[in-house]
Amino acid sequence: MSAPTFNDATDEEQYLDLRSHLKSLGADISDENSEAGYLSDLQDVINVCDFCFREANETDAECTLNSIVSLLIMVPQNESEPLVNLFCEKLTRAPSLKMGCVAFKVLQNLFAGIGEHSPLCYDVYFNLIRVAGQTDNVSLIFKDIEKLKSWLAEMKIPTEKTQKLLRLLHEVLVESKQSDMAAKVMIELLGTYTEDNASQARDDAHKCIVNSLGDPNAFLLDNLLVLKPVRFLEGELIHDLLTIFVSEKLSAYLQFYATNKDFVNSLGLSHEQNLQKMRLLTFMQMAETQKEIPFSVIESELQIKPEEVESFIIEVLRTKLARAKVDQLQQRVLVSSTMHRTFGKQDWMHIRETLVQWHSDFSQVQGHLLGVMRSSYESVANVQG
């Protein structure tokens, strides 16, 4: 049976048609509209709208749910909040991927219908993220953390609700294997805490560190140390482990692991992956001060076999952490550039000095060119005179 479209019906007729259709799907709902008025009718329909998921055809389910959206967005905002939240909650319970995709599209229509500046848009967007996580559609509604921050600020969303949204978004992004974006969202979440309430973010900070350490593409981790919730963990093993990945060498990690093997394993981190990441980070640190690194030094510092050196350098180049080439004849690696593991005040000073020098050099070139141009003009003037 096809679902009715309700396009040309009055509101009263639409409620009657919805009641009849939902009842035909097995819902326990009256055939007659309520004497209490349209809000009661709408609540009755929303209470059983999840029976749409019993439709054999997704298009029919979507049509019926969109009909409810068309009624819902006409309700004054001061009366619609409980109905909007009830409708959203029903849609998050879609029993299958296909019907989840239907729920996702209907929620998108609801978000567009109430407008992104409505006081209710946060609640709809929150549930949209929930359904996006169930249907792997998060990239369709979230792409830029800065735009999300701007929208939340413009809407004056309270900090606690912002944290709740960011926490959910992080979970969805991790589940969707979007580790880079998930890390940005988590850092933004931790940045919403202050010195006074940093202790409340203990679990988030712990999760952030573990996810960052376990991310095979995350190598620059010093930005985590300045986050207040992470600083609150100072003195704990998880903070000690992070510090090793930020600035220590492989030997420090091996020593830590030997003493705290059970702790590292309890985090769900792979020791082998940790070793590989620490080898890469250790090489980066060596390359910061050495432009020519003998194979023997690499073997010793990274604890790898002679025949593994070249394949390791290939891995370094793949990650783009450094630019280098292998001199097989001289048994050495020639480094042309490398990323710095940490970036502090001294590094900023170096950039400043470089920019000042560039400015001075350009000024000299500009002065020289002006001098040449003046000489040329004077020569031409003399010839014409």
Side-chain angles (χ1 to χ4, degrees):
M1 175 181 177
S2 296
T5 59
F6 315 116
N7 288 339
D8 299 323
T10 64
D11 286 357
E12 292 76 12
E13 292 171 336
Q14 201 165 340
Y15 283 120
L16 285 172
D17 287 340
L18 280 168
R19 286 175 177 276
S20 175
H21 182 65
L22 290 168
K23 189 166 187 175
S24 73
L25 295 175
D28 182 12
I29 187 173
S30 172
D31 288 323
E32 301 297 326
N33 285 339
S34 171
E35 294 181 359
Y38 74 96
L39 288 178
S40 181
D41 287 328
L42 189 50
Q43 181 163 347
D44 287 347
V45 168
I46 292 175
N47 275 330
V48 295
C49 70
D50 49 342
F51 276 81
C52 288
F53 296 138
R54 298 187 179 187
E55 295 271 20
N57 186 292
E58 300 94 71
T59 302
D60 292 342
E62 185 177 347
C63 176
T64 304
L65 292 169
N66 278 332
S67 180
I68 297 174
V69 169
S70 70
L71 293 166
L72 193 53
I73 61 178
M74 299 303 294
V75 179
Q77 290 179 355
N78 62 333
E79 297 178 309
S80 63
E81 181 175 359
L83 295 173
V84 167
N85 287 326
L86 176 61
F87 186 57
C88 289
E89 187 60 32
K90 292 287 186 179
L91 292 179
T92 61
R93 299 177 186 173
S96 66
L97 177 59
K98 287 184 178 180
M99 286 302 174
C101 290
V102 168
F104 179 77
K105 289 189 284 187
V106 171
L107 279 170
Q108 282 185 302
N109 291 337
L110 178 60
F111 185 83
I114 64 173
E116 63 178 21
H117 298 298
S118 164
L120 300 177
C121 61
Y122 168 88
D123 298 307
V124 178
Y125 188 73
F126 183 87
N127 285 285
L128 194 50
I129 292 292
R130 290 175 65 186
V131 177
Q134 298 164 8
T135 57
D136 198 22
N137 280 320
V138 66
S139 60
L140 297 180
I141 55 171
F142 173 76
K143 295 180 181 178
D144 190 331
I145 185 63
E146 292 303 322
K147 287 185 179 179
L148 179 61
K149 283 173 56 181
S150 177
W151 176 65
L152 292 171
E154 184 180 354
M155 292 299 298
K156 298 180 180 178
I157 302 299
T159 300
E160 288 187 6
K161 294 182 75 172
T162 295
Q163 292 169 345
K164 182 180 178 182
L165 175 62
L166 292 175
R167 192 173 292 111
L168 172 66
L169 186 55
H170 174 264
E171 293 173 0
V172 168
L173 289 168
V174 169
E175 192 67 26
S176 300
K177 310 250 187 280
Q178 298 185 44
S179 57
D180 288 347
M181 189 61 74
K184 292 179 181 178
V185 170
M186 176 55 78
I187 290 173
E188 186 60 37
L189 170 59
L190 296 181
T192 63
Y193 290 89
T194 65
E195 293 283 359
D196 296 332
N197 62 10
S199 61
Q200 299 174 14
R202 177 189 179 85
D203 290 343
D204 289 327
H206 193 280
K207 184 185 298 182
C208 177
I209 294 173
V210 172
N211 287 342
S212 296
L213 296 182
D215 184 350
N217 298 312
F219 296 98
L220 307 181
L221 306 172
D222 59 323
N223 60 326
L224 300 183
L225 292 176
V226 300
L227 297 170
K228 294 179 178 65
V230 173
R231 285 163 53 189
F232 181 79
L233 298 175
E234 287 183 18
E236 298 188 21
L237 289 176
I238 188 65
H239 193 277
D240 294 342
L241 183 58
L242 172 61
T243 303
I244 290 172
F245 275 80
V246 168
S247 58
E248 300 292 339
K249 291 186 176 182
L250 175 65
S251 56
Y253 170 74
L254 290 172
Q255 184 177 354
F256 180 91
Y257 184 74
T259 308
N260 304 284
K261 181 177 180 179
D262 292 340
F263 170 74
V264 173
N265 292 338
S266 72
L267 299 175
L269 296 173
S270 165
H271 176 55
E272 291 303 318
Q273 289 182 7
N274 290 345
L275 285 176
Q276 180 63 6
K277 179 178 282 193
M278 281 304 305
R279 287 190 175 106
L280 290 167
L281 293 171
T282 300
F283 180 84
M284 285 173 61
Q285 190 164 335
M286 293 165 58
E288 288 179 18
T289 57
Q290 304 176 62
K291 297 307 176 184
E292 298 182 7
I293 309 176
F295 281 12
S296 58
V297 173
I298 294 175
E299 295 163 18
S300 174
E301 290 283 352
L302 307 186
Q303 300 190 26
I304 58 178
K305 300 175 182 178
E307 63 269 21
E308 296 174 334
V309 173
E310 289 193 44
S311 60
F312 174 78
I313 297 303
I314 291 174
E315 178 64 15
V316 171
L317 299 178
R318 185 194 65 79
T319 62
K320 299 182 180 179
L321 296 174
R323 297 175 63 185
K325 62 180 181 179
V326 175
D327 182 348
Q328 185 65 53
L329 186 63
Q330 298 294 326
Q331 292 285 285
R332 61 182 179 174
V333 174
L334 304 176
V335 179
S336 54
S337 65
T338 185
M339 295 180 67
H340 287 243
R341 291 176 64 183
T342 59
F343 204 87
K345 183 177 180 180
Q346 187 174 5
D347 298 296
W348 284 113
M349 290 297 294
H350 177 69
I351 288 180
R352 181 181 182 278
E353 291 170 0
T354 301
L355 291 175
V356 168
Q357 184 61 51
W358 283 358
H359 182 270
S360 175
D361 293 343
F362 283 132
S363 296
Q364 291 180 20
V365 171
Q366 185 181 37
H368 178 70
L369 289 175
L370 289 173
V372 171
M373 291 172 64
R374 279 196 295 267
S375 298
S376 298
Y377 291 148
E378 291 172 358
S379 299
V380 172
N382 291 333
V383 171
Q384 292 177 346

